[in-house]
Structures are given as C-alpha cells and as structure tokens.
Amino acid sequence: MNIHIDGARPQDDAERGILAFIEESIAIRRDLHRHPELSLKEKRTAALIARYLLSFGYEVTEGVGGHGVVATLKRGHGEKRLGIRADIDALPITEETGLAYASDTPGVMHACGHDGHTTILLAAARYLAETSSFSGTLTLIFQPAEEIGAGARAMIKDRLFERFPVDAVFGLHNWPGVEAGQFGFVEGPAMASVDKAKVRIVGRGGHGAAPHETVDPVLASASFVTALQSIVSRNVDPREMAVLTVGSIHGGTASNVIPESVELQITARAFSPVVRDRLEERLPALAKAQAESFGAKAEVAYARGFPPVINHAVQTAFAQDVARRHFPPGQIAESFQPRTASEDFAFMLQERPGSYLFVGNGDSAPLHSPHYDFNDTIIAPAARFWVRLAEDYLS
Ligand SMILES: [Zn+2]
Ligand SMILES: [Zn+2]
C-alpha cells in the first residue's frame, strides 16, 4: 500500500506513534469502506470495533442502544471522566467512486466518512492504551444509526451516561472543501436542527379542459411553494438562520387531468430553538391559508427530527486550546462557520456538556455524494488531536 502523508515529518511523539501503525489504520478504514452497513444493521462493524478495542486492552461493552460499542480505560488515580464519540453507520447510496476498496454491498456506501471517524478513534484508542499517558477514565463511544437520527437517542435511552459516566463528551466530523487536516471549532449553535413536514393539498379533480368545475391543487401548491419563503424572509428575525426547502412535490398523471391532490415534502432547519418553533408554527398555518384561498384544503404532518448541535462554551474553548497547544496555527481554521447540516450528536450535548468539531477532508466530493471518499491523510492528525485532548483533559 502506497500512502503519502503530506508534510511527512512527524510533529511530535504522538504523531510518530500513530504513524507507526498508520498502514494498519488505513487498512481498517478501507475494510470498513468495503463492508458498509446501514443504520441499525451495523453488526459486522460493531464486532470489528469491539475486537480491536479488546486487543488494545479496553473494557468493552457491546449492544448499547442497538449495535453501539462502549470502551473504557482507567489509568492512574485521576477522577475526571472523558467521553469521545464516533459514528459508525453507512448510507443507502450506490457508490460511484470506482475505488479498489469500493463498497461490495449494492446500494450501501460509506458516503459520510463514518468509516474514517471510526478509524480515527480506534487509532487514538490504540495509542492511548499503549502509552497510558493520562490519569482518569477514558470512555469511547461508537454510535450506530446516526444517519437516521436514532443511534444517539437509543444509546442515551439504554442509560449510556449512567452506565458510563462522563464529565464532558466530544465528537468530530470530516468536512469536504476544508483543507485536509485543518480543525474547525464553533461555540454555540454549530449545526442546524432538522424537522420534516409532509403537506397534502387536496382539491377536486376533473377534466383539464374545464378547470372551473374543479378545485386545482396544482395551482394552490404552486402558490404555497412561493409563499413558503416569506416565512424565512418575514417571520424570522433577519439576523437568524432558517431554511425551508421543498425537496419533493408530486401530483397528477396526465396533461389533461386536474388531480385530486398534490403532496409536498419539506425540510425545515434552524440554529435556534426559538426559530425552530416559529417554523413549526408558521408552516402549517401558511399551508392551510394558502390552500383555502383557492378553495382547497391542506393536511400537514410536521415531525421533529434532531435539535440543533449546540456546543458548550467551556468545552469548545478547551478543545480549541488543545489544538493551539499541539498544532501549528495554519492547521486551525480562523473563523469556522456553523453548518446547516445536522447531527444527532445534538442529543448527547443535551445530556452532557461538550463540543462537536470539524476536520477538513480536503478537496473531496461532498458528503452523501456517490463520489465521496474519506481522506486517509487526516487519520493521523485527527487521531493525534483526540490523543492530546484526552491527555490534557485527563491530566
Ligand atoms: Zn451523513
Ligand atoms: Zn456523518
């Protein structure tokens, strides 16, 4: 295997230690990539993770909230308890990378880099076990079912933080388009909430040549889609972020038939709980009023998904300080902006203080693209970041 790590000179002992087994780490990452498993089906992945952690000397608990794996390692007399989380599941996407280690499971792909997040944490786990250079309790959380927003909740419901108490919890996500190995920190809202609305506009169908004898749900839908953006521009404080996207609209079967109904699927995103509530209040009201103005009716099903990821100030400052102490300034993004994607790590941050950070994946295809691949050159710097964070926190 030919691996070229940019700036090949190790920066310190941790990097040297992690690079000593980097080929094994890359082999793990590519094995995970080749064998992706969908949310709630991460059986092989979880077994592989547990096997490695046991071989490193961790106490390992499997089956936490589904296929979740939790590993703990106690060293010294320190009383502090640190949690680090990685997500492990893949997506229902058909891979089109043409890579030698591309998915061998049709229609399933690691298109979000969770194969990389898992490998990064395993590499840090190995180094930290080998060096034992901390004092306290280290808890590593390998979370399933992130992509469907179920895994964090399931682990918490399975009493994750009661069984494995932590004082703070951290996690990271790779980010395409950000320089490979560069770290990004955001205090406060870092990723958006995501909620879903299904709207059905019901009219009265009939012949396309006699519209006056019908109630046209297509026209009512078109008006609603246009009016929808007035929520963002007129009901939300202009200093706040809100996104409403109609991702799906379906109605009718032929050019000369006015259909009975049209169905729309909408994603609603926000950084603040107040804006989130406002979208939930205004969207159904607007759908109903718009439909009624055409003589039609609107049925709205609004479902809450994930809350926003809200990073705690103290823990975010701590993580940023770790990066400043152990990495050159160029490897820390200057003013990293919050992202409008979402993450179910949000649920963990509602339970324990912590921070979710970002690491650049370089010039790759975007997340959830069939052309995306995790960048193996960021395993070493990201694993070294977890190592230094654990050592500094548990010191
Ligand atoms: Zn994803
Ligand atoms: Zn992801």
Side-chain angles (χ1 to χ4, degrees), residues 91 111-112 114 146-147 173 367-368:
L91 284 157
C112 205
H114 299 183
E146 191 284 324
E147 295 290 0
H173 209 292
L367 299 172
H368 293 204

Side-chain angles (χ1 to χ4, degrees), residues 106-193:
V108 184
M109 175 189 178
H110 268 296
C112 205
H114 299 183
D115 48 349
H117 303 164
T118 298
T119 305
I120 289 165
L121 193 52
L122 284 175
R126 177 170 171 177
Y127 181 84
L128 283 162
E130 279 175 8
T131 54
S132 293
S133 48
F134 64 92
S135 178
T137 306
L138 177 64
T139 295
L140 306 180
I141 302 162
F142 290 85
Q143 184 212 300
E146 191 284 324
E147 295 290 0
I148 60 165
R153 265 184 290 197
M155 290 189 91
I156 291 164
K157 218 175 143 208
D158 205 2
R159 301 179 57 252
L160 170 69
F161 292 124
E162 288 80 28
R163 291 160 72 191
F164 311 96
V166 299
D167 302 313
V169 63
F170 294 85
L172 66 72
H173 209 292
N174 77 93
W175 215 263
V178 175
E179 200 180 309
Q182 190 174 60
F183 295 97
F185 303 89
V186 184
E187 192 200 308
M191 296 181 87
S193 62

Side-chain angles (χ1 to χ4, degrees), residues 4 29 83 90 96 131 138 159 167 209 212 263 289 293 309 346-347 370:
H4 301 284
R29 207 287 288 180
E96 289 174 31
T131 54
L138 177 64
R159 301 179 57 252
D167 302 313
H212 59 291
E263 286 182 25
S293 75
V309 170
F347 291 111

